[in-house]
Amino acid sequence: MMMSVLLAADFRAIGITVAVIVLAGMVALFVRNIFEARSELGSEIELAPNKKLYFSDEELEGKKLDASLSFALVVLTLTAIALPFYWLAEPGRQEGAVDAYQLNFESRGEGLYTEGAQCVNCHSANGVGGVAAYVLQDGDGQFIANASWVAPALNNLFHRYSEEEVTYVLNFGRPGSPMAAWGTPGGGPLTSQQVQNTIEYMQTFQVQSLDPIEINESADPVAAQAEADELAAEIRAEVERSLADGEFETLGEAVFNLGYFSGFQAGSLSCARCHTSGWSLGPAVPRLPGTDPLDPGIAGCGGGDPSGIGFSLCGTIHERFPDDAWKLPDGSWAPEGGLADDEGFYYEAMDGTEVRLDDRGSPVTADGEAYLILTEGDTAGDLAECAVVSGLWEPSSGDAYPFDQRVPLESEDGVFVDPEPIDTSALGPNDLILPSGEVGFECEVIDMPERTSYAQFNFIYNGANAGSGYGRGGQSAAGLMPGFGALLPEDLIQAVVDYERSLG
Ligand code: HEC
Ligand code: HEC
């Protein structure tokens, strides 16, 4: 872009310079002719015998000469004027040529999308998404059921994937799903030029994203912002509707499964379509163990849809993305590492207390000793120390007694009896019933906000980049995990992080 602007400026400058030089030259010549006209030289006196008498000098230098010179002058003037004008129009001609090629590519791409490769059959006109017929088979190739496989909306494709990643999907398809390999590298029918044309066509129907940089750089930032706000509002409305209709229980679960029942944006914004087995086949296809070859479809724990593109999020999330950040009391993220002063990092607890953090972000006492972080299921031995972070207790004195109101105790004679209900009136202000049901005496509570992973938020925001692994034990580096930062409002991404971390 920059280059062509520079070039255009050059061409204009050249054109104008040439025009000025030519005009100045003409004026100079004219003036010189007037002032420096020379007197006549002599002429031939005798005519040679083999020569025919030509026009007389009077005749030649009269009308005839005038006519020839005038004609020459007119042609010269026309050329001199036309040439710079030709240069002046050159940048426009170049822009026109580029536009024409682009239009040509786009219309070829459109031809492929709507007819040649019939992407439109599954992804619908303008890439709003749809469904693809699919036959479910068991391991031996036996028919199980006809199903409709969700074909994601493509009108937000380039806000989720880079062009390179889209090329990869088009070349190799999604093996095991209705999305075939289209490019020659994957054995498909389209040349790399045709794949490129299809991409250029798909770029013509992208919707507005929430990305502030894109909004700022658009031709009309105010209108773009309004469109982005509308998109965000639509997404929120759909999430709220699904919660109100009882489809999901938590905000995070609703975002994770966005569109499962309603088909909103053909599931393109959901996580579960790649992270829960069978999600793409919709709620109508039963997924009970034994009735089909798919996993039972535990949210987030399946190895992706039947194509296996996704990745089980159960069991490994905390290992891959360790807790590395606190949430601020208002629900937003603390800066990475916590708040900082001369002595290092600290964090504000819910009640405003400053809690020092060690260099790994774990809270330490004023003496620099680590707090014991207890989670549900920890033993009474740990509790005896009575130091807990996040619903947090620090010991001042006393012991903790095991006491669980939910589990009937066995008495000595082998009869189960309900435990004595705890007499809460006997508890002091600092005696607490811990999440495990045990009692901690004389505890000092530091009510820390939730601990979570900024790295995980970042990963979901940006997606996996083609060519680079991430986290501990790095993944496929194929760039298949989309980035959602330009399409999901940040608080919804955060809700989904909480949900995933709750899966264990
Ligand atoms: C037979 C139906 C069908 C046809 C034809 C088809 N697709 Fe697909 N496509 C799908 C399905 C289904 C998926 C989702 C696969 C999955 O669940 O991983 C998909 C996925 C994609 C994706 C990945 C998008 C994402 O968010 O995961 C792209 C890009 C895509 N298709 C583009 C195209 C283009 C371009 C064409 C035409 C050249 C095309 N598709 C033709 C059914 C189809
Ligand atoms: C188009 C399919 C697809 C969609 C949609 C998708 N993911 Fe992924 N996700 C993947 C793939 C593939 C990987 C493995 C990354 C790799 O190997 O490059 C992955 C990896 C992850 C990981 C890392 C898992 C680990 O243990 O390393 C997290 C976390 C994750 N996805 C969360 C999400 C969330 C949250 C969403 C929805 C906002 C989502 N994904 C939507 C395909 C998808």
Side-chain angles (χ1 to χ4, degrees), residues 160-161 174 255-256 267-275 309-313 316-317 320-321 456 459-460 464 470 475-482 484 488 496 500:
R160 294 184 279 125
Y161 285 118
R174 291 269 168 77
V255 180
F256 191 86
S268 62
L269 298 183
S270 77
C271 317
R273 80 180 168 94
C274 295
H275 290 293
I309 161 195
F311 200 81
S312 172
L313 299 176
T316 56
I317 280 289
R320 189 137 9 247
F321 301 105
Q456 185 182 351
F459 177 71
I460 295 165
Y470 64 92
Q475 297 297 301
S476 73
L480 292 177
M481 162 73 192
F484 288 91
L488 287 179
V496 113
E500 284 183 350

Side-chain angles (χ1 to χ4, degrees), residues 442-454:
E442 292 293 312
C443 294
E444 186 187 320
V445 178
I446 302 172
D447 198 2
M448 287 294 279
E450 221 180 310
R451 192 107 204 269
T452 181
S453 168
Y454 189 73

Side-chain angles (χ1 to χ4, degrees), residues 190-207:
L190 303 185
T191 64
S192 57
Q193 178 68 67
Q194 285 173 316
V195 165
Q196 184 60 33
N197 289 350
T198 314
I199 285 178
E200 259 145 51
Y201 172 62
M202 289 193 287
Q203 271 161 346
T204 63
F205 58 55
Q206 297 300 298
V207 295

Side-chain angles (χ1 to χ4, degrees), residues 118-260:
Q118 311 216 330
C119 321
V120 71
N121 286 355
C122 303
H123 294 284
S124 306
N126 293 321
V128 296
V131 290
Y134 188 72
V135 178
L136 271 182
Q137 298 170 334
D138 65 15
D140 303 327
Q142 295 297 307
F143 174 87
I144 293 177
N146 284 315
S148 296
W149 193 309
V150 174
L154 302 177
N155 59 4
N156 53 17
L157 189 61
F158 297 95
H159 306 317
R160 294 184 279 125
Y161 285 118
S162 69
E163 208 178 297
E164 191 190 9
E165 288 160 353
V166 173
T167 310
Y168 182 92
V169 175
L170 295 188
N171 277 342
F172 297 101
R174 291 269 168 77
S177 89
M179 178 64 190
W182 288 98
T184 6
L190 303 185
T191 64
S192 57
Q193 178 68 67
Q194 285 173 316
V195 165
Q196 184 60 33
N197 289 350
T198 314
I199 285 178
E200 259 145 51
Y201 172 62
M202 289 193 287
Q203 271 161 346
T204 63
F205 58 55
Q206 297 300 298
V207 295
Q208 178 62 51
S209 80
L210 307 184
D211 178 8
I213 298 176
E214 194 200 299
I215 292 171
N216 261 340
E217 286 179 355
S218 71
D220 184 350
V222 177
Q225 184 64 57
E227 257 181 78
D229 292 346
E230 202 179 307
L231 172 67
E234 254 171 50
I235 294 172
R236 284 182 201 288
E238 168 61 15
V239 168
E240 273 154 29
R241 183 208 58 75
S242 73
L243 285 170
D245 289 357
E247 291 173 0
F248 305 106
E249 281 174 11
T250 64
L251 182 64
E253 188 189 8
V255 180
F256 191 86
N257 288 289
L258 202 59
Y260 183 55

Side-chain angles (χ1 to χ4, degrees), residues 87-445:
W87 277 93
L88 281 177
E90 181 60 16
R93 248 190 316 279
Q94 285 192 351
E95 275 159 28
V98 171
D99 288 350
Y101 271 111
Q102 185 62 32
L103 280 179
N104 202 355
F105 286 156
E106 283 166 13
S107 79
R108 281 186 204 163
E110 181 175 8
L112 287 165
Y113 187 92
T114 53
E115 281 166 41
Q118 311 216 330
C119 321
V120 71
N121 286 355
C122 303
H123 294 284
S124 306
N126 293 321
V128 296
V131 290
Y134 188 72
V135 178
L136 271 182
Q137 298 170 334
D138 65 15
D140 303 327
Q142 295 297 307
F143 174 87
I144 293 177
N146 284 315
S148 296
W149 193 309
V150 174
L154 302 177
N155 59 4
N156 53 17
L157 189 61
F158 297 95
H159 306 317
R160 294 184 279 125
Y161 285 118
S162 69
E163 208 178 297
E164 191 190 9
E165 288 160 353
V166 173
T167 310
Y168 182 92
V169 175
L170 295 188
N171 277 342
F172 297 101
R174 291 269 168 77
S177 89
M179 178 64 190
W182 288 98
T184 6
L190 303 185
T191 64
S192 57
Q193 178 68 67
Q194 285 173 316
V195 165
Q196 184 60 33
N197 289 350
T198 314
I199 285 178
E200 259 145 51
Y201 172 62
M202 289 193 287
Q203 271 161 346
T204 63
F205 58 55
Q206 297 300 298
V207 295
Q208 178 62 51
S209 80
L210 307 184
D211 178 8
I213 298 176
E214 194 200 299
I215 292 171
N216 261 340
E217 286 179 355
S218 71
D220 184 350
V222 177
Q225 184 64 57
E227 257 181 78
D229 292 346
E230 202 179 307
L231 172 67
E234 254 171 50
I235 294 172
R236 284 182 201 288
E238 168 61 15
V239 168
E240 273 154 29
R241 183 208 58 75
S242 73
L243 285 170
D245 289 357
E247 291 173 0
F248 305 106
E249 281 174 11
T250 64
L251 182 64
E253 188 189 8
V255 180
F256 191 86
N257 288 289
L258 202 59
Y260 183 55
F261 294 98
S262 67
F264 181 73
Q265 298 208 9
S268 62
L269 298 183
S270 77
C271 317
R273 80 180 168 94
C274 295
H275 290 293
T276 303
S277 281
W279 189 98
S280 292
L281 299 175
V285 175
R287 270 189 307 283
L288 297 170
T291 59
D292 67 26
L294 309 173
D295 285 352
I298 302 164
C301 296
D305 61 32
S307 72
I309 161 195
F311 200 81
S312 172
L313 299 176
C314 288
T316 56
I317 280 289
H318 291 269
E319 195 185 316
R320 189 137 9 247
F321 301 105
D323 287 341
D324 60 8
W326 299 98
K327 266 199 224 163
L328 294 171
D330 70 0
S332 64
W333 296 91
E336 237 171 316
L339 307 163
D341 63 14
D342 297 345
E343 288 161 46
F345 291 115
Y346 66 97
Y347 194 80
E348 257 174 45
M350 300 296 258
D351 63 2
T353 325
E354 275 181 22
V355 180
R356 308 307 310 180
L357 302 177
D358 66 13
D359 53 7
R360 299 190 58 202
S362 302
V364 285
T365 64
D367 311 332
E369 275 171 41
Y371 283 116
L372 190 64
I373 301 177
L374 287 186
T375 52
E376 229 175 320
D378 281 333
T379 64
D382 293 334
L383 283 171
E385 294 178 43
C386 206
V388 191
V389 176
S390 187
L392 235 231
W393 301 264
E394 189 191 342
S396 49
S397 69
D399 271 326
Y401 295 99
F403 185 89
D404 189 340
Q405 290 175 300
R406 291 160 303 183
V407 182
L409 296 176
E410 197 180 349
S411 71
E412 277 168 19
D413 55 8
V415 181
F416 287 97
V417 292
D418 281 337
E420 291 277 314
I422 196 163
D423 179 7
T424 44
S425 65
L427 294 179
N430 295 330
D431 302 337
L432 297 167
I433 303 172
L434 304 177
S436 61
E438 289 152 312
V439 183
F441 288 105
E442 292 293 312
C443 294
E444 186 187 320
V445 178

